[in-house]
Amino acid sequence: PNIIQLCYLIATGVFIFGIKRLGSPATARSGNQLAALGMLIGLVVTLFDQQIMSFEYIIGGIVVGSAIGVFAAKKVEMTAMPEMVAIFNGFGGGASALVAWGEFVRISDPTLLGTQDLITIGLSILIGSITFTGSFIAFGKLKGFISGNPITFPGHNIFNALLTVGTLVLVGLLTVNPANQLVFWLLFGIALLLGILTVIPIGGADMPVVISLLNSYSGIAAAMAGFVINNNLLIISGALVGAAGLILTNIMCKAMNRTLTNVLFGAFGGSDSSDSGPAS
Amino acid sequence: MSGLIFNLFIFVLASFVGFELISKVPPTLHTPLMSGANAISGITIIGAVIIAGQIDQQVAQIIGFAAIVFATINVVGGFMVTDRMLEMFKKKEDNDG
């Protein structure tokens, strides 16, 4: 187990170097390869974890996922990269939600779970699900399956705010009464809906910024999943991506002379074009 | 409870590192950087492997299997498209120079 932790430490360092190198043109490609190496180290040493007793599902899942990933990555055209990234990101967020769900199901009596486990399970499902559906809407908008224009209805903003508060209340209820299946499924369902409703009012031209923000979310979702299963590497890598993604989102907004608030809620302000507006 | 506090410590500290890692990124690198960071968020594959590898509950294993498929798509696809983008980038630089 100490060896595993040590290898996790190495993987963490490799990720940090990788992200750093990705930020500069001359070193970007090697940075990406470094990050991939870090992932490989993390994955391989995890297979020696004592909790792992059966390998059929693991091998099967990796084979199926790799086949789909390789196929998609080879087939995508260069001009369609942002939407491809959105799809991949959606799957990543979805995976974090599934990890939390799996842990919830694994403990046959959820009342045995501690408060901290339940809070992080709830948050992981919440953020992971928002990332999942939000990313697919972003994909649809870029691909033209969904209108690139902002799609809103009266009171959209307030409705989203209410849903957000509602999901947080549900996370609280889940913590208090984990045996209540209804709370669990409501949380899952509303989180999925919230992902759709958050992204759909944003115009297609702003999708790269949204994808970058969702990328940050998927990092946070991974970190929450790390809290759920008590795994350092997940927490650290997730936090790194969450924070770096947020900074990148900000940089992208600035490059467009916009603020993030303006991008996210701009469709409600009436003026939809690139008026930079007062920073709030 | 001390485990939670410890985890919070590393979460907060790692976030600070993440905030500092990226400062000035040229616009051409925005998409590759986003894509590379996105592939790293597929680290959740490790959680998925742990859920799918336990033998307490078969339903949880199946959920873990789905999580592995999702996360592997994210990881493998993510690193590959990033590499493709950066390869293009390199070629473009060479042509310009």
Side-chain angles (χ1 to χ4, degrees):
Chain A
N2 276 335
I3 303 285
I4 294 181
Q5 289 300 319
L6 214 56
C7 291
Y8 278 179
L9 184 62
I10 295 169
T12 307
V14 171
F15 279 149
I16 293 176
F17 270 114
I19 297 178
K20 182 86 197 160
R21 291 176 79 87
L22 266 168
S24 154
T27 55
R29 201 171 174 202
S30 71
N32 183 52
Q33 286 157 354
L34 261 182
L37 176 74
M39 185 69 71
L40 190 67
I41 295 173
L43 181 60
V44 169
V45 299
T46 304
L47 295 177
F48 293 96
D49 190 300
Q50 284 167 344
Q51 279 175 276
I52 296 179
M53 319 267 249
S54 115
F55 289 89
E56 302 98 337
Y57 289 102
I58 296 177
I59 295 166
I62 291 178
V63 168
V64 173
S66 302
I68 300 173
V70 169
F71 179 78
K74 290 233 181 224
K75 221 168 159 240
V76 62
E77 304 201 4
M78 277 298 162
T79 49
M81 282 301 177
E83 46 264 52
M84 201 70 239
V85 175
I87 286 279
F88 290 153
N89 186 50
F91 279 122
S96 292
L98 288 175
V99 168
W101 181 23
E103 178 70 6
F104 189 71
V105 170
R106 185 176 77 84
I107 312 293
S108 46
D109 180 3
T111 51
L112 292 176
L113 285 162
T115 309
Q116 65 225 40
D117 297 317
L118 288 163
I119 293 177
T120 48
I121 284 175
L123 289 178
S124 190
I125 286 176
L126 172 59
I127 305 168
S129 303
I130 291 176
T131 310
F132 184 68
T133 48
S135 297
F136 277 89
I137 296 292
F139 165 79
K141 285 208 169 220
L142 285 171
K143 208 76 184 155
F145 295 148
I146 304 167
S147 161
N149 295 326
I151 300 169
T152 60
F153 52 83
H156 197 139
N157 212 1
I158 295 165
F159 188 68
N160 280 2
L162 286 176
L163 281 188
T164 309
V165 173
T167 51
L168 292 176
V169 170
L170 285 169
V171 172
L173 286 176
L174 183 75
T175 312
V176 180
N177 187 5
N180 191 336
Q181 291 287 318
L182 180 68
V183 171
F184 181 83
W185 290 111
L186 264 180
L187 173 63
F188 223 139
I190 296 179
L192 289 168
L193 179 68
L194 193 55
I196 298 174
L197 291 180
T198 309
V199 177
I200 216 155
I202 303 169
D206 286 337
M207 278 307 126
V209 173
V210 172
I211 296 168
S212 177
L213 183 67
L214 288 169
N215 174 36
S216 170
Y217 283 5
S218 74
I220 299 168
M224 289 301 135
F227 277 92
V228 172
I229 58 161
N230 206 3
N231 184 299
N232 288 341
L233 182 58
L234 247 74
I235 298 175
I236 297 175
S237 326
L240 281 174
V241 173
L246 204 57
I247 297 290
L248 180 63
T249 310
N250 217 2
I251 293 176
M252 287 166 82
C253 284
K254 271 191 194 139
M256 293 166 43
N257 260 325
R258 305 275 297 276
T259 63
L260 186 57
T261 347
N262 184 263
V263 170
L264 291 180
F265 308 111
F268 305 101
S271 59
D272 44 279
S273 62
S274 57
D275 111 85
S276 49
S280 46
Chain B
M1 201 62 184
S2 64
L4 175 71
I5 296 298
F6 176 75
N7 286 344
L8 270 178
F9 258 102
I10 58 170
F11 177 75
V12 172
L13 291 177
S15 301
F16 277 113
V17 175
F19 279 132
E20 295 300 323
L21 267 181
I22 296 176
S23 44
K24 289 188 205 88
V25 184
T28 40
L29 273 183
H30 286 174
T31 310
L33 179 59
M34 175 170 89
S35 176
N38 166 49
I40 296 176
S41 71
I43 189 72
T44 199
I45 188 173
I46 284 174
V49 161
I50 290 174
I51 299 291
Q54 49 79 32
I55 47 169
D56 308 339
Q57 286 283 338
Q58 204 186 1
V59 182
Q61 275 188 293
I62 293 167
I63 296 170
F65 169 80
I68 293 181
V69 173
F70 277 22
T72 312
I73 294 174
N74 187 194
V75 170
V76 174
F79 282 125
M80 277 184 70
V81 291
T82 312
D83 197 61
R84 272 188 67 192
M85 276 186 251
L86 292 169
E87 189 183 29
M88 272 269 286
F89 190 71
K90 182 93 193 323
K91 276 183 199 146
K92 222 193 273 170
E93 291 274 290
D94 289 348
N95 292 345
D96 289 349

